[in-house]
Amino acid sequence: KVGKRFVAATGNASLTGTAQPGKTLTAAAPTWFQQGVTSSVTWLRDGTPIATGATYQVQPADVGHTMSARITGAKAGYTSTSVTTPGLPATQAGAPTATRAPKITGRARVGRTLRVTGAAWSTNGTSTFTWSVAGKTVGTGASYAVRRADAGKKVTVTETHTSPGYADATATAVSGTIAKASVKLKVAVGKARKHKSVRVRVRANARDLTVPGKVIVRYAGHRIRSVKLHDGKAAVRLPAKRKGRYQLALAYRGATGFAKATKKVTVRVR
C-alpha cells in the first residue's frame, strides 16, 4: 500500500504432527521478507481461536473438527501480517492401554459372588464390565453370582474402557476353575423303639442355595432306599429292629453344580 509499510510473507506457514488427542501439533512460520519479524501463533478449531503458543496438544473435543494455526508477523513501524496454515482434520486416536489389568476377587465356587476391580488406564474415561463363560455372556456389572452351570469352567470378565477422543479399549481377567458348591447333610432321628420303624429327617445344606438331587439311605449294612430332596429336605422310615446300636449311612450323590456328601450316625434302638 502506498505510504505504508507492512510485514510481508515470502512463503507458506505449515503444521507438523498428528491431529489426534494426546498428540502435539507444531506451527512453522513462513519466511518473512523483513528482518527482525516476531511471530506469534493462534490455534484455530474450525476457524475459531482456542489457544496460543508455538505448539498445541490436541484435545478430545477437537475430534471431528479442523485444526489450523494463524501466524502473525509483527515488526515495529510495520503493519502486522497474518498467515493461516492449511487445516488438519482431527481424528480419533487409537485405543488407550491398560497400565494395570483388571482383577477378579471372590471364591470361584457355585453360589458365591465374584467381583472385579477395574484396570488402570492411560486416559481418563468410564468402564463397563461383561461376564462370560465358555464364550457366552452371562452377566454385566461389577459383580457376578456364580451359577450351577459354571462348575468346572472358568469365568471371564471383559472391561470396556471408553475415553472421549479415543477408540474403545478392552482388558480381561479370568477366574480360577469354578468348584461345585459344598454340601453338608444334617440328620434328625426320631425315637427308636425296638420292633418299631424309625422316622428320619434329612436336610442337605449349601450356602444360600437349595440343594436338588437324591440321597441314598443305608441302615444296618443294607440299602434301604433312595429319597428325593424337596427344597433340600427329605424324610424316610427305617425298618424295625431289635434293641441295639445300628449304623445309618447317608450318601448325597451330587447334582449339577453340587458336590457329593456323606453322613454317618449311630441309631440306638431301646
Side-chain angles (χ1 to χ4, degrees):
K1 296 180 181 181
V2 177
K4 291 197 175 183
R5 297 186 299 175
F6 59 92
V7 174
T10 61
N12 296 321
S14 63
L15 289 182
T16 57
T18 302
Q20 291 181 342
K23 302 294 186 180
T24 299
L25 298 178
T26 300
T31 300
W32 303 111
F33 179 77
Q34 290 82 7
Q35 298 294 318
V37 174
T38 300
S39 298
S40 60
V41 180
T42 300
W43 292 92
L44 311 174
R45 180 196 295 142
D46 293 336
T48 300
I50 56 171
T52 59
T55 62
Y56 174 74
Q57 187 175 58
V58 181
Q59 303 299 309
D62 298 327
V63 174
H65 301 279
T66 298
M67 310 303 298
S68 59
R70 183 170 63 220
I71 303 175
T72 300
K75 180 178 172 68
Y78 288 76
T79 300
S80 297
T81 296
S82 294
V83 179
T84 301
T85 67
L88 284 178
T91 59
Q92 187 180 64
T97 57
T99 57
R100 185 187 68 240
K103 181 180 180 181
I104 293 175
T105 57
R107 293 195 65 180
R109 183 180 294 276
V110 171
R112 300 298 182 92
T113 297
L114 300 178
R115 292 179 171 81
V116 60
T117 300
W121 297 93
S122 57
T123 62
N124 294 326
T126 57
S127 290
T128 58
F129 302 94
T130 302
W131 300 83
S132 61
V133 177
K136 181 179 179 181
T137 298
V138 292
T140 58
S143 63
Y144 173 66
V146 182
R147 309 169 308 158
R148 293 172 55 188
D150 301 332
K153 304 170 185 175
K154 294 183 178 182
V155 177
T156 298
V157 63
T158 300
E159 178 178 357
T160 300
H161 181 74
T162 301
S163 183
Y166 294 81
D168 287 351
T170 59
T172 61
V174 182
S175 74
T177 301
I178 301 299
K180 294 182 178 181
S182 178
V183 177
K184 293 184 177 180
L185 297 177
K186 290 187 176 181
V187 184
V189 180
K191 290 184 178 181
R193 302 299 184 187
K194 62 181 180 179
H195 307 309
K196 291 185 178 181
S197 62
V198 182
R199 180 176 174 82
V200 174
R201 288 176 295 159
V202 181
R203 186 179 184 91
N205 294 323
R207 181 175 175 174
D208 299 326
L209 297 170
T210 299
V211 182
K214 296 181 178 181
V215 175
I216 296 175
V217 181
R218 297 181 68 87
Y219 183 52
H222 301 284
R223 175 169 170 158
I224 303 303
R225 58 178 296 194
S226 174
V227 292
K228 186 176 182 180
L229 294 170
H230 296 279
D231 293 327
K233 297 177 286 186
V236 64
R237 280 198 170 273
L238 305 179
K241 294 289 184 181
R242 291 179 294 179
K243 186 177 180 180
R245 293 175 181 270
Y246 302 90
Q247 187 181 76
L248 172 63
L250 305 173
Y252 173 65
R253 306 313 297 163
T256 300
F258 292 90
K260 296 179 180 180
T262 59
K263 180 78 173 180
K264 292 182 180 180
V265 297
T266 298
V267 179
R268 184 177 180 182
V269 179
R270 300 176 184 274

